[in-house]
Structure formats: C-alpha cells, structure tokens
Amino acid sequence: MPAAAPTLISSLSEGEGLVFGCDYNPEQWDRSVWPEDIRLMREAGVGLVAINIFGWSTINPGEGRWDFSGLDEIIAQLHAAGIRVDLGTGTASPPPWLTTTHPEILPEGIDGTVFHQGGRQAYCPSSPVFRAYAAEVTRRVVERYGSHPAVTLWHVSNELGCHNALCYCETSTGAFRTWLRDRYADDIAALNTAWGTSFWSQRYGSFDEVQVPAQVLSLRNPGQVLDFQRFSSDEQLALYRAEAEIIRAHSDIPVTTNFMVTAHIRALDYWSWTADMDLVANDHYLDRRLENPRQELSFAADLTRGLAEGDPWLLMETSTSAVNWQPVNLAKAPGELTRNVASHVARGADGICFFQWRASTQGAEKYHSALLPHAGTDSDLWRGTVELGRMLESLGEVAGTRVVADAAVLFSWENWWAVENEGRPSEEVRYLDQVHAAHTALADAGIVADVVRPGTDLDDYRLIVVPALHLVRDEEAAVIARAVERGATVLVTFYSGIVDAEDRVRTGGYPGAFRELLGIRSEEFAPLVPGQSVALSDGSTASVWSERLRTTDAEAIASFVDGPSAGHPAITRRAQGAGEAWYLATQPSPEAYRALVARLADAAGIAAAPGAGPDVDVVRRVGADAAYRFVINHGADPVEVAATGTELLTGSAATGIVTVPAGAVRIIKEDV
C-alpha cells in the first residue's frame, strides 16, 4: 500500500488530521462581534480561517493611505485562539477610488461594453496599472505579515478569472499581440499558417494588424479564438505569478489560490497552473442547474485530485446549504451536506472549508448560506455545523492517504474550448456532457477513475476512457497508443482525434489521430437532431451523434439499426499489442454506457467496488497501515456492503456486512 506521508495540508492542521476551515470577512462586522465569532469557531472546531480576501478598500482606503489596524487585531485574536490564518493578498477586487482615478483599468466585453465598478473583479487582467497597484498591496501585506506565526497559507487574489477572464479592451489587444509574437517567434507567416488566414481574406501583414476576436458580423476565425482563450488563461496565471513572486521574496509560507473546477467555469486551463501552486485548492458548489449535480461534484473532486497529481488537496470553498447565484437557490436536503463533504474527502480532499463563517446581512451574497446562519446558534443549521466539525475530527486519521484508481478519464480545458467554439457539426455535442457521461458510467459501474491530462503517462491504468478528445497532439495520441500496446483497454468516443493543436482538421478520414489505433475510418459525421434516438443492434438506444463508419482492421460489436447511419458500426473493437482499442460512435443511454464500461473493466481485470451503483458511491483511500472505504448512499433505500473493520462515524464494529441507511454515509477503517 502507498504510504500516508505528511502533506502540506497536514501542516495547516498541525498534524491533527483533516482541515476544517472557512472564509471570514471581519470588515463586515463591528469589532465587538469578533471575540464571539472566534469563540464559536472554537466550539465548532474550525481551525483555518481565510481573511483579507476582499480587504483592499479596508486596508488601502485611498491613494497612498494605509490602515492595517483591523487586520492586525483580527490576526492577533485568531492566533491567540489557536486558529491558523489563510491570508489573502486582498487584491480580488479594486476599490472604487482606484477605478475612479484610473477608469482605463476597467474590463471590456466582446461587444465593447465597459464593465464598471459595483460588482467584483472590475479590472482588465492585462492592465499594467492594475498590476502595479495590486503588486503594491501584496508587497505591503506580505512585508507586514510574512513571518507572523498565525499565517500558515498565502491566498493570492480570489477565484481568478471568475468574471473577467476574457477582456477585449485595447490593453488586452496589445497584450494579445505580445503573446502571439512570443508564441510564433515574431513570425507573422507562422501565425497565418496556424490560423489558416487565407480563408475569408484574413491574411495578416504584421502583428499590429491582429485584433482580439471581438464581436463580428459572421463566425470568427477558430484559430484566433482558440489562441485568445489560451492567452486569456495565461494572463490570469500571470496575475497569480506576479503576486506569488512578491510573497516568496518576503515569506517562506506556502502560496496558493482557489481554482474553480466546476461545470460553469471553463476559461482557465488549470493543467498549466499547477506547477506554480504549493498546494492545489478548489472552490466547488452544487450546481442545481445540472441534471445530476452530485455526479458533477464527484467528477470535479476527481479532477482536482488529478491536478494535485494524486496528492491530497484542499476544498477552499463550498456551502453548507443554498448559494445565492442560481435561478432557484435550493436548500440542501437532510443529510446532503454530510454526503457532499464525504464525497470530497473520499476523493482526496484533506481539508473542507466553507464560504463563509457568518452569513452576511448586506451585499450581493447576503442570502448565501454560512456556518453561522442568520438564525444564530439556536438553530438546526448551527447544530449541523458543530456536528460537521465532529465528523471531520473523527476522520482525522484519513489525512495523508491516497485514492488508488485503476481507470482514468482524459480531460482537457483546451479541448473544451475547441469542441465548443463556433462552426461545429452539432451544438448538441457539449464537451463536459461527454466527459460527465463517461465518468458517471464508470462510477455507476463501481469503477473509481483518476481524471488526467492528455499526454500524462498512463502506465498505471488498465482502463482508459477518452471522451470527445477533439483536439489532440501527435505525442498525446502516441501515449494512448502505447498504453494499448502494453496491455490497457482504451475506449475512445466520438468527435475525438479530429484536429491538431492549431485546430486544423486531420485529413484522410475521421477519427484522424486515432484512425490506425482503432482500425476504423469515417467519411462523414451524421449528428442527430435534439430529441432523436436511434437503435443499436445490441438492443440499446443512443442519441446526439452518429457517423458513417467502416472498419479497416477492427470488429464491429454493435451497429446502427436506424437513423442517418443505419447499417454502419456504432461500437468497434480492435486488438493491438497486449491491449484493446474500442470506439464508441454515438451517445449511449446511461444504462448502456454503464454496461459497456463494466464489460471493459471486467475484461481489463478491474473489480467493481462491492455495493457501488447509480445511487451508491464506494471509494477507497489507502495508506501505509490502513485502508478506508467510503460508502455514500444517495438513494432512498438502505444498502448492505461487505466490510470488516471499524466504522469511524459511529465507532461500531463492522463484522462482515455494513448497513448504510438511505441518505447516509459510512466510512469503514478496514482490517488489513
């Protein structure tokens, strides 16, 4: 078993186990409230508090004016209470005096709309003026608190790029040109080749002619749009790096920022960010707009673990109950918070932090749930907070263990952009839907999967699912082919392998980069209209997509019975080396998808987790001396799971069969 080694997160809890934390905004409250808040934090078991996240206008209320008295006091009080501090640089949103003095820093939308002060992140990420002021705030904060014993983590900005990832102003245009010069070695001919600018008379004579891909009369150049998306992610990373560099010059305390690995944020390529993080941290909230919010939570947690390269990670923000930013902000059902927290911990989180400590009474987030609700301490909500603290304390020994997975799902933000940019074969093909479908099929079949970047070494995996990997580099495709050669089973799904890194179609027949590996060739896509389903020869049904496919060196496992591709293969298999390469040319029903991946997992020698299914998650974390089985029952009926050991939440012995009531969680320390 892998060792449960000390981790950076364990230092945030001083080796006491899992981290229980929250955001705190003391500037919203009279100082007389602070001691009571800290007393209640201690009662609940909160050990890490993020402060000064939005503190710019408080500590720097005007040009050249600085006031650290409040920050000094709250840090001192938290330290005296034994609560560790995650200290923000305070640069998440500029104060009104700055945007009034320098309106040129305001961001601009795709249609030329200037977005004004009054919300948050009202700045152009490329603005040298904003960056200079943010650097000064960061320097002042780190010089003052860089060696303070309460500070155990630095928190750069907040949710970088949440609102202002794509800016189309003149400053961004100039920065984009600079980025392009670097990318194409100052060779405009190379840019023209990469973007295919001979199309529609778009050929450029110099980089000074290039604009950001703002609103136009027609479809935009896809190569230009893709590069702008890459540039925009890099600009947000540059903001992080600039502040992190200042911090590291004055402090040896770890530095991070909070990612947004979630369904509604796609502008940042976090694979390119992880090398700059001392600790991977993520914000995640249930998105009730989705068909299956809890499965999206599981995927996001697995992806965050992938960003952390399998190491434990920190959930920097989540909610106790409702949020404030969805069309209908649903309260969590009884037991749902426990299941959410257990899902994150099961999938690698060694810390759970909440936005926020005390529910605000003013501002845009006043109806966002909190650890201390508007109702106060005489409430079931508060009692739930105290119980949550006890739960995390009881799971302390899980800290430092790792999730072990035999399967992997490939995922790429860059590919997400390419799949969903303009002029595609079907707007019904949404990348995240395809990734979620694959991940859900595995989970429902009882298979835990890592989520990894294309090009990652795949030697540790026996089953690899490649959903809609439309944009793929030759070297990334080669890694997948090598995995098959050495014995892995690979499932590639439709719309994969079609374009290269410059969004150029690979000619000779689809699926391009995977054509030889899969032993198939498709001449034409035949997507299905919304609501249309087709029958397959194995008795299943499918939707969204079909294509007119023929096998060249593969076996047809199932074919389309009807629809625009009737008679053509829908599922194929090809033996290659010691492994197998499968292709899925449509979107199967959830039941059929689950059956397919279960079949492939069984053939690959992967045992499904006993008891797992569509309503029951079963995940194991393993350390040097112990293994922990998380059983999370999302269903309406009790389930029985074979297990021997000790159930950590109840302290009861598990002597062969553990009954998990409807909506409940059981975490068994297994006898090994």
Side-chain angles (χ1 to χ4, degrees), residues 425 498 508-511 521-527 545-550 560 564-565 568-569 583 585:
I498 308 302
Y510 313 127
R521 186 171 183 268
S522 177
E523 296 182 9
E524 188 175 19
F525 302 142
W545 188 267
S546 76
E547 56 188 275
R548 287 154 187 170
L549 179 72
R550 64 180 176 87
F560 294 104
S565 299
H568 291 270
Y583 185 64

Side-chain angles (χ1 to χ4, degrees), residues 36-45 357 372 377 382:
E36 175 69 0
D37 276 336
I38 292 172
R39 183 188 71 79
L40 291 173
M41 288 176 188
R42 295 270 297 174
E43 179 181 329
W357 165 251
L372 180 59
T377 55
W382 169 253

